[in-house]
């Protein structure tokens, strides 16, 4: 974290590298050059580190170690799941991340977009209708439904969607990038066929992630080469990053319920402060189940980019929705799908918290928001 940041409230964009991840990575680097494909002793040591990490992650994610494919992050995992699945068409929730939406559209296969309600929760009846319509006999469909929204934090009904998909012989892929480390994620319990995660969202290093693939699901590799990761993802594994990801996951999963309770309380405090200072503000998905620590809101009288600059000058790090879109000035597709007027959607600000967030961070944000609220009142006068 840079010294100019007084309150880091953009954890959904990236979490600070955890102490456990740093220690694990440093230990690997101190071992010297390690290539897990090499046959000598150093290579065997590298392979042992990777397989230990795979075991650790499997324990915390409710899957078998051999079901885990190590990747470069959430985007690659999503692309591998979507492009590599043996399917004839895609059914994609309007809430999905571009890393899911864009490869589906780029595949040349039919894509049906599944409607959501005003909170951003997928319409399960619509999912059923789309599965029935244009059904293909030669290959199943792939349903793409995230576990938790990167923007609103809303938790999707994945269990119910799995039941519907199974009735129609469809496969289901779950983008759990924003859920892992915030709420329990159990691959076997969810019943999905594939699940993606990204290390830097829960305190691991950037540039590494994983795709969990249920045993028996065929997958066409994106990358062809040396046949690493059981021929499902070629390329020399990043041993230190994988070790750091596993260590970060183990750390963030400790006492998760207590951490979630604390973050939910902080979010409630934050949202109470927002309503007190800006009664006209709209907090999205506030009545739906959300991961703890995410607040997405808008005010009809401000410009989101100007508000971001105000907070930044006060040393407060927040974002205008998805970090992938914030720098491009794009309006949130998810909010539009939720029925939010375009003029309000473009004014949205996301505040997201994590294990390192404290009451002092919320106080700093609300103090800065109070100054902004006074400016808005003067402008309206």
């Amino acid at each position: 974290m840079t010294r100019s940041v007084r309150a880091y409230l953009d954890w959904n964009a990236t979490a600070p590298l955890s102490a456990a991840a740093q220690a694990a990575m440093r230990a690997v680097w101190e071992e010297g050059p390690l290539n897990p494909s090499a046959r000598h002793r150093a290579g065997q040591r590298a392979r042992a580190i990777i397989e230990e990490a795979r075991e650790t992650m499997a324990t915390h994610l409710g899957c078998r170690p051999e079901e885990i494919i190590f990747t470069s992050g959430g985007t690659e995992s999503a692309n591998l799941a979507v492009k590599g699945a043996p399917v004839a068409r895609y059914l994609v929730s309007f809430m999905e991340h571009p890393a899911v939406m864009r490869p589906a559209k780029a595949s040349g296969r039919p894509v049906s977009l599944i409607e959501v309600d005003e909170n951003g929760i997928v319409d399960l009846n619509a999912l059923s209708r789309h599965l029935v319509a244009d059904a293909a006999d030669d290959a199943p469909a792939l349903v793409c439904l995230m576990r938790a929204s990167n923007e609103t934090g809303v938790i999707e009904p994945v269990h119910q969607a799995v039941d519907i998909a199974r009735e129609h012989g469809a496969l289901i892929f779950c983008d759990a990038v924003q859920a892992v480390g915030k709420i329990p994620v159990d691959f076997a319990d969810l019943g999905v066929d594939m699940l993606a995660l990204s290390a830097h969202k829960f305190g691991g290093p950037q540039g590494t992630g994983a795709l969990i693939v249920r045993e028996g699901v065929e997958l066409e590799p994106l990358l062809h080469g040396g046949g690493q990761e059981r021929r499902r993802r070629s390329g020399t594994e990043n041993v230190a990053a994988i070790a750091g990801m596993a260590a970060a996951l183990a750390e963030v999963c400790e006492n998760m319920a207590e951490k979630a309770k604390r973050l939910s309380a902080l979010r409630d405090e934050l949202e109470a402060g927002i309503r007190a200072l800006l009664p006209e503000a709209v907090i999205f998905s506030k009545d739906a189940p959300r991961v703890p620590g995410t607040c997405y809101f808008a005010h009809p009288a401000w410009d989101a980019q100007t508000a971001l600059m105000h907070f930044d000058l006060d040393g407060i790090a927040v974002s205008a929705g998805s970090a992938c879109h914030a720098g491009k000035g794009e309006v949130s597709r998810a909010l539009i799908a939720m029925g939010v007027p375009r003029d309000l959607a473009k004014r949205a600000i996301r505040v997201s918290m994590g294990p390192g967030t404290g009451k002092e961070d919320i106080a700093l944000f609300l103090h800065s928001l109070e100054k902004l609220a006074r400016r808005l009142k003067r402008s309206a006068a």
Side-chain angles (χ1 to χ4, degrees), residues 105-129:
K105 291 183 175 180
S107 70
R109 302 166 186 166
V111 179
S112 297
L113 298 179
I114 310 303
E115 296 84 354
V116 299
D117 68 13
E118 67 277 7
N119 286 311
I121 296 177
V122 69
D123 184 334
L124 295 173
N125 290 326
L127 174 61
S128 295
R129 291 196 302 270

Side-chain angles (χ1 to χ4, degrees), residues 67 69 77-87 90 141-145 158 162 166 171-176 187 190-197 210-215 217-220:
E67 292 176 319
I69 305 172
S77 294
N79 273 258
L80 177 55
V82 172
K83 293 181 178 179
V87 297
Y90 301 99
L142 179 67
V143 175
C144 299
L145 181 61
V158 173
V162 167
R166 293 286 177 261
L171 298 175
I172 185 162
F173 162 61
C174 181
D175 170 5
F187 181 72
L190 284 173
V192 298
D193 296 288
M194 295 178 285
L195 182 143
L197 59 114
L211 177 67
I212 306 175
V213 181
R214 182 172 58 79
E215 185 179 3
V217 174
E218 297 295 328
L219 201 63
E220 179 66 26

